[in-house]
Amino acid sequence: MSRFRVRTWSLRARIAGLCAGLGLILTGLGVFAAFTAAAHNNQLDDVLNRSSPMRAAGETLNTALVDQETGIRGFAITGRDASLDPYRQGLAEQDAQITRIEGYLHPEDREIRAALDDVKSRIDAWHRDVSDPVIDLVRTKGVDAGQAKVDAGDTQDFDQLRAAIGTMQARIQVLRATTADAAKESSQTMVTIEIAAAAIVVLAGIFLLLLLDRLISRPIVDLADQVRRVAGGDYERHIESKMGSPELVGLAADVDRMRQQIASELSEVRDARQQVEWVNQQLQSQAEELTRSNRDLEQFAYVASHDLQEPLRKVASFCQLLQRRYQGKMDERADQYIGFAVDGAQRMQRLINDLLAFSRIGRLTNGFSDVDLNKVLTEVKSQLEPRAGDDAEISWPPLPTVEGEEPLITTLFVNLVGNALKFRRPDVPPEVRITAERDGREWKFNVRDNGIGIEAEFADKVFVIFQRLHARDAYEGTGIGLAIVKKIVEYHGGRIWLDVDVPVGASIWFTLPAVIGADEPDEPATEPESREVVGA
């Protein structure tokens, strides 16, 4: 049962369990290593900062006692007080070293403390039985009495004192050796802990690699192989993962459901594609039919307009002849009727001419070439001088060279600038400004005037053929000018639109293709002069 439960663990749970177990083991080793390191530090401290200084203090104490014994013998021989200097120094050093050794002792150092107490008692006995009596005799009875006391004395007490110091030193050495052995053992224990920790980490890494290979790498490779076979066209192949983690088993099931969904939809797509191909064929046939129909309509418009020219010229000519010959000879109503006939014939001629111009766009072509717009606008200015008047002003900065048909582009600007001059405000000198700016592979042009403007609601209507926004008696024209402009722009692959956000006048934007490799026109150092159009 427990094995089955482990097999149902997710990959995250298995890795988390492995990491948790490894963490517990390493934590235990770490705690044990911390205690071992603390004990090792204490043992090193005992060796370096306690037992060794105690042993050195014992050696210094032995030297101080020898100095005292030498000072006593010298004083007994000479009787001079200066001979007691080694004795006094040795006495002071003795007290200092005994105090130092006592400071290093711990409560558990009972043997060393007992040896020290023995040394102290023997020192006191030697002072009481030897050194102090000799000093008193020399000072009271002279050097002979002191020398006699020294010669009569026995060195056994001093030798036993030094033997007691040797015993204390031996016990200090035992403490030092014991502590050093313990430090060495703890150091070896720490090395063992480090080796064990490294081995555990390596084993855990190997186990993790095997786990990942068993639960991830091999199942993913197998799953990828199955997916590649399905991607190769075997849509009926069942995708499954018999080994691996539950996540990969679930992923394989999800991928298989996706395969089934794709396989079921693929048949629908094939059917739909056949229908789309059939519809495309029908659309292509209709498009070809529409193209042929448009071509026929344009041909019909051209032929009809061209064939209407001759009878219309006759009608207009005879109406004008009637007007010249009989005007004033009949009643006023007859003159009015004749005037209506003449005006209608003339308007019909203008409509037919404009319709012919509209139908010719794109039909009669000489191919695209580089068109210098500065030259074009100079020609436009010349054509519009009679209409402009003395107070009109048309200006433009240096303009670029574009790709197109120069006659059509000239017609384009003639219509735009002509409209700007036509729809002027009363008693306001017309101003027309043509500008250009580069936008990627095309140029954006703007024709701006200060005339009566166009309402936003007519932004699309103004480009429709035969659409007029004003009464015929208010402004002349047939309502086809901006339609011709739109067709010319679209024939050149551009766009045209009305800018409705200008406060005064009209602003029309359109685009034309730029010449490949051409740079923007050089800007003059100062503001370019406006080119004024003045009537002849």
Side-chain angles (χ1 to χ4, degrees):
M1 181 64 69
S2 60
R3 183 180 179 184
F4 175 76
R5 290 179 179 175
V6 172
R7 294 189 62 180
T8 58
W9 283 11
S10 65
L11 178 63
R12 178 180 297 178
R14 298 186 187 192
I15 294 178
L18 175 62
C19 293
L22 180 62
L24 289 176
I25 295 174
L26 293 179
T27 301
L29 289 176
V31 171
F32 183 57
F35 281 108
T36 304
H40 181 69
N41 290 335
N42 292 333
Q43 292 156 359
L44 288 178
D45 184 69
D46 285 343
V47 172
L48 299 176
N49 299 325
R50 202 163 69 89
S51 58
S52 294
M54 276 197 297
R55 184 171 177 80
E59 295 293 339
T60 305
L61 176 61
N62 184 57
T63 302
L65 290 172
V66 172
D67 290 342
Q68 291 181 48
E69 196 264 346
T70 302
I72 289 298
R73 289 182 179 275
F75 182 68
I77 295 172
T78 62
R80 294 195 297 258
D81 189 74
S83 299
L84 287 175
D85 287 344
Y87 174 79
R88 295 189 185 98
Q89 293 174 359
L91 190 62
E93 188 67 28
Q94 163 199 309
D95 295 336
Q97 296 307 318
I98 290 175
T99 302
R100 183 181 176 192
I101 293 173
E102 289 177 340
Y104 288 129
L105 291 177
H106 289 172
E108 62 270 15
D109 300 326
R110 289 184 293 272
E111 293 183 356
I112 299 176
R113 186 177 296 277
L116 179 61
D117 292 339
D118 183 53
V119 170
K120 288 165 62 178
S121 63
R122 292 182 181 277
I123 289 174
D124 292 340
W126 183 76
H127 284 164
R128 183 180 64 253
D129 297 336
V130 178
S131 63
D132 291 343
V134 171
I135 293 172
D136 290 341
L137 285 174
V138 171
R139 287 177 176 174
T140 58
K141 296 182 179 183
V143 294
D144 293 335
Q147 184 64 37
K149 175 66 177 175
V150 171
D151 293 338
D154 190 359
T155 61
Q156 182 178 2
D157 292 338
F158 192 78
D159 292 339
Q160 290 179 351
L161 172 60
R162 296 188 66 184
I165 294 175
T167 300
M168 181 184 70
Q169 290 290 80
R171 293 179 179 178
I172 293 174
Q173 179 62 29
V174 169
L175 173 64
R176 185 178 184 279
T178 303
T179 307
D181 291 340
K184 184 183 297 184
E185 183 179 354
S186 62
S187 177
Q188 293 175 352
T189 302
M190 290 181 63
V191 172
T192 303
I193 292 173
E194 292 175 355
I195 293 174
I200 290 173
V201 170
V202 171
L203 291 176
I206 294 173
F207 181 75
L208 181 60
L209 289 177
L210 294 175
L211 180 66
L212 294 178
D213 180 68
R214 175 67 176 79
L215 299 180
I216 295 181
S217 299
R218 284 187 289 171
I220 286 180
V221 171
D222 180 66
L223 180 61
D225 181 66
Q226 297 181 61
V227 170
R228 279 192 293 269
R229 293 185 182 182
V230 172
D234 187 6
Y235 298 107
E236 301 302 325
R237 180 181 182 81
H238 179 64
I239 297 177
E240 61 180 352
S241 178
K242 297 181 179 179
M243 58 182 181
S245 64
E247 291 92 343
L248 283 177
V249 174
L251 176 61
D254 293 337
V255 172
D256 188 66
R257 283 193 293 271
M258 181 175 65
R259 175 198 62 80
Q260 295 175 4
Q261 183 68 22
I262 292 175
S264 63
E265 293 180 355
L266 185 61
S267 60
E268 298 178 2
V269 170
R270 290 171 179 169
D271 296 338
R273 184 167 59 185
Q274 294 177 355
Q275 296 179 0
V276 169
E277 290 176 353
W278 181 82
V279 171
N280 286 337
Q281 293 176 356
Q282 297 299 317
L283 290 175
Q284 185 175 1
S285 300
Q286 293 178 5
E288 294 174 354
E289 179 66 21
L290 182 60
T291 301
R292 185 191 61 78
S293 176
N294 288 337
R295 187 168 56 250
D296 293 343
L297 287 174
E298 291 180 356
Q299 182 67 22
F300 171 77
Y302 175 76
V303 172
S305 301
H306 186 272
D307 291 345
L308 285 175
Q309 289 278 34
E310 180 61 27
L312 186 59
R313 278 196 295 268
K314 288 183 179 180
V315 171
S317 297
F318 281 106
C319 287
Q320 291 172 357
L321 182 62
L322 286 173
Q323 188 179 36
R324 287 195 301 270
R325 178 170 295 183
Y326 296 105
Q327 186 174 11
K329 296 181 180 180
M330 294 183 291
D331 58 6
E332 182 178 353
R333 180 160 302 217
D335 291 340
Q336 185 179 14
Y337 289 163
I338 293 174
F340 287 159
V342 172
D343 180 66
Q346 291 175 346
R347 284 193 293 109
M348 180 61 72
Q349 282 184 318
R350 288 195 296 271
L351 283 172
I352 291 175
N353 289 332
D354 289 342
L355 186 59
L356 279 173
F358 185 82
S359 64
R360 287 192 185 105
I361 298 174
R363 294 181 66 254
L364 304 176
T365 176
N366 295 323
F368 283 10
S369 61
D370 295 348
V371 180
D372 183 0
L373 295 185
N374 297 292
K375 177 182 176 182
V376 168
L377 283 176
T378 301
E379 174 64 23
V380 170
K381 179 193 74 171
S382 176
Q383 293 183 25
L384 296 177
E385 279 185 354
R387 189 189 307 179
D390 296 336
D391 55 353
E393 179 180 303
I394 304 173
S395 62
W396 64 89
L399 295 177
T401 298
V402 297
E403 189 175 12
E405 293 191 23
E406 184 171 338
L408 293 180
I409 294 179
T410 301
T411 302
L412 166 70
F413 280 103
V414 166
N415 279 281
L416 290 176
V417 177
N419 274 359
L421 296 174
K422 180 196 302 184
F423 298 102
R424 61 192 294 178
R425 287 184 293 166
D427 302 326
V428 177
E431 297 178 1
V432 184
R433 175 74 173 174
I434 300 100
T435 57
E437 61 183 54
R438 186 67 178 263
D439 185 12
R441 296 184 178 181
E442 61 184 10
W443 284 96
K444 288 174 59 178
F445 295 93
N446 178 246
V447 179
R448 174 80 180 274
D449 62 62
N450 64 341
I452 62 175
I454 303 173
E455 297 295 334
E457 57 185 298
F458 303 117
D460 295 326
K461 187 177 180 180
V462 293
F463 297 108
V464 179
I465 189 171
F466 297 134
Q467 291 293 325
R468 297 178 57 89
L469 304 182
H470 305 279
R472 186 176 294 108
D473 55 354
Y475 295 97
E476 63 178 3
T478 60
I480 201 175
L482 289 181
I484 292 176
V485 168
K486 183 174 184 292
K487 190 171 183 180
I488 292 175
V489 170
E490 292 178 347
Y491 171 69
H492 285 82
R495 299 167 290 116
I496 187 168
W497 66 94
L498 178 68
D499 185 359
V500 297
D501 294 329
V502 294
V504 177
S507 176
I508 294 179
W509 288 87
F510 64 94
T511 62
L512 291 176
V515 176
I516 299 177
D519 298 328
E520 297 187 14
D522 296 333
E523 291 291 341
T526 59
E527 184 69 20
E529 295 183 359
S530 299
R531 295 177 171 85
E532 296 186 357
V533 176
V534 181

